[in-house]
Amino acid sequence: DEARRLSEKAIDDASQAEAQLTSLKGKVERAEADYRKADVDLVRARSEADAATDRCRRLRAALSKRCRELEEAGRQQLQEWQVLDMHTKKVELMQEHVRWLMQTEGHGRQALREQV
Protein backbone atom coordinates (compact mmCIF):
# COMPACT_ATOMS: atom_id res chain seq x y z
CA ASP A 1 0.00 0.00 0.00
CA GLU A 2 2.79 2.38 0.93
CA ALA A 3 4.67 1.48 -2.22
CA ARG A 4 1.56 2.13 -4.27
CA ARG A 5 1.05 5.51 -2.63
CA LEU A 6 4.72 6.41 -3.20
CA SER A 7 4.43 5.19 -6.77
CA GLU A 8 1.30 7.29 -7.40
CA LYS A 9 2.95 10.29 -5.76
CA ALA A 10 6.03 9.78 -7.93
CA ILE A 11 3.81 9.53 -11.04
CA ASP A 12 1.91 12.65 -9.95
CA ASP A 13 5.19 14.52 -9.26
CA ALA A 14 6.56 13.36 -12.60
CA SER A 15 3.36 14.49 -14.33
CA GLN A 16 3.58 17.92 -12.68
CA ALA A 17 7.27 18.15 -13.53
CA GLU A 18 6.51 17.23 -17.14
CA ALA A 19 3.75 19.88 -17.26
CA GLN A 20 6.15 22.44 -15.81
CA LEU A 21 8.83 21.37 -18.29
CA THR A 22 6.39 21.73 -21.18
CA SER A 23 5.35 25.16 -19.87
CA LEU A 24 8.98 26.20 -19.50
CA LYS A 25 9.82 24.90 -22.98
CA GLY A 26 6.97 27.04 -24.35
CA LYS A 27 8.26 30.06 -22.46
CA VAL A 28 11.80 29.42 -23.76
CA GLU A 29 10.50 29.08 -27.34
CA ARG A 30 8.53 32.34 -26.99
CA ALA A 31 11.57 34.07 -25.49
CA GLU A 32 13.76 32.80 -28.34
CA ALA A 33 11.19 33.99 -30.90
CA ASP A 34 11.07 37.38 -29.16
CA TYR A 35 14.88 37.47 -29.21
CA ARG A 36 14.99 36.67 -32.95
CA LYS A 37 12.37 39.35 -33.66
CA ALA A 38 14.24 41.85 -31.50
CA ASP A 39 17.47 40.97 -33.33
CA VAL A 40 15.79 41.51 -36.73
CA ASP A 41 14.31 44.79 -35.47
CA LEU A 42 17.73 45.85 -34.21
CA VAL A 43 19.38 45.10 -37.56
CA ARG A 44 16.63 47.05 -39.35
CA ALA A 45 16.93 49.97 -36.91
CA ARG A 46 20.71 50.07 -37.32
CA SER A 47 20.34 50.04 -41.09
CA GLU A 48 17.82 52.89 -40.94
CA ALA A 49 20.02 54.82 -38.53
CA ASP A 50 23.03 54.36 -40.82
CA ALA A 51 21.01 55.58 -43.80
CA ALA A 52 19.78 58.58 -41.80
CA THR A 53 23.34 59.34 -40.71
CA ASP A 54 24.52 59.20 -44.32
CA ARG A 55 21.70 61.54 -45.40
CA CYS A 56 22.61 63.95 -42.59
CA ARG A 57 26.27 63.89 -43.61
CA ARG A 58 25.40 64.63 -47.23
CA LEU A 59 23.03 67.43 -46.20
CA ARG A 60 25.62 68.89 -43.85
CA ALA A 61 28.25 68.84 -46.61
CA ALA A 62 25.81 70.51 -49.02
CA LEU A 63 24.87 73.14 -46.44
CA SER A 64 28.52 73.81 -45.62
CA LYS A 65 29.28 74.24 -49.31
CA ARG A 66 26.32 76.57 -49.75
CA CYS A 67 27.37 78.61 -46.70
CA ARG A 68 30.88 78.99 -48.13
CA GLU A 69 29.40 80.10 -51.45
CA LEU A 70 27.13 82.63 -49.73
CA GLU A 71 30.00 83.94 -47.61
CA GLU A 72 32.12 84.40 -50.74
CA ALA A 73 29.26 86.15 -52.54
CA GLY A 74 28.75 88.39 -49.51
CA ARG A 75 32.45 89.30 -49.45
CA GLN A 76 32.36 90.11 -53.17
CA GLN A 77 29.27 92.28 -52.77
CA LEU A 78 30.84 94.08 -49.82
CA GLN A 79 33.94 94.79 -51.91
CA GLU A 80 31.76 96.04 -54.76
CA TRP A 81 29.85 98.29 -52.36
CA GLN A 82 33.11 99.65 -50.99
CA VAL A 83 34.29 100.46 -54.52
CA LEU A 84 30.92 102.04 -55.32
CA ASP A 85 31.05 104.03 -52.09
CA MET A 86 34.56 105.25 -52.98
CA HIS A 87 33.37 106.32 -56.45
CA THR A 88 30.36 108.08 -54.93
CA LYS A 89 32.61 110.03 -52.55
CA LYS A 90 34.94 110.86 -55.43
CA VAL A 91 32.01 112.17 -57.48
CA GLU A 92 30.80 114.23 -54.50
CA LEU A 93 34.27 115.74 -54.08
CA MET A 94 34.45 116.50 -57.81
CA GLN A 95 31.01 118.16 -57.68
CA GLU A 96 32.13 120.19 -54.69
CA HIS A 97 35.26 121.21 -56.61
CA VAL A 98 33.21 122.17 -59.68
CA ARG A 99 30.91 124.30 -57.48
CA TRP A 100 33.96 126.00 -56.00
CA LEU A 101 35.41 126.60 -59.49
CA MET A 102 32.11 128.03 -60.70
CA GLN A 103 31.89 130.29 -57.69
CA THR A 104 35.48 131.37 -58.18
CA GLU A 105 34.85 132.04 -61.87
CA GLY A 106 31.65 133.87 -61.01
CA HIS A 107 33.52 136.03 -58.52
CA GLY A 108 36.28 136.63 -61.09
CA ARG A 109 33.76 137.69 -63.75
CA GLN A 110 32.02 139.91 -61.28
CA ALA A 111 35.33 141.48 -60.41
CA LEU A 112 36.09 142.01 -64.15
CA ARG A 113 32.69 143.61 -64.68
CA GLU A 114 33.31 145.92 -61.82
CA GLN A 115 36.66 146.91 -63.25
CA VAL A 116 35.16 147.51 -66.67
Side-chain angles (χ1 to χ4, degrees):
D1 209 29
E2 179 68 19
R4 179 182 207 131
R5 190 183 62 75
L6 288 175
S7 175
E8 288 175 359
K9 180 160 179 12
I11 290 172
D12 189 43
D13 287 349
S15 179
Q16 286 179 5
E18 188 175 345
Q20 286 180 345
L21 180 62
T22 302
S23 173
L24 289 174
K25 282 182 180 179
K27 288 180 182 179
V28 167
E29 287 173 1
R30 285 190 297 278
E32 287 175 344
D34 290 346
Y35 169 78
R36 285 189 298 274
K37 183 184 178 311
D39 192 46
V40 168
D41 291 345
L42 177 62
V43 168
R44 184 181 314 118
R46 280 184 180 160
S47 175
E48 290 171 1
D50 289 345
T53 299
D54 288 342
R55 282 191 304 274
C56 287
R57 283 185 186 136
R58 284 192 304 275
L59 286 172
R60 182 178 180 196
L63 286 173
S64 292
K65 180 182 176 190
R66 184 66 180 138
C67 283
R68 286 190 302 274
E69 290 169 352
L70 289 172
E71 287 171 353
E72 179 59 31
R75 276 192 291 278
Q76 287 177 354
Q77 288 181 358
L78 181 60
Q79 288 173 351
E80 290 170 5
W81 275 105
Q82 288 172 340
V83 169
L84 181 61
D85 191 43
M86 244 179 24
H87 287 300
T88 302
K89 287 181 182 179
K90 184 176 178 180
V91 167
E92 288 171 356
L93 288 173
M94 290 171 74
Q95 288 174 338
E96 180 80 21
H97 184 66
V98 167
R99 276 194 288 278
W100 179 80
L101 287 175
M102 290 178 76
Q103 284 177 349
T104 303
E105 184 177 334
H107 291 306
R109 286 182 183 209
Q110 182 66 32
L112 281 175
R113 273 190 234 129
E114 290 174 5
Q115 286 179 358
V116 171

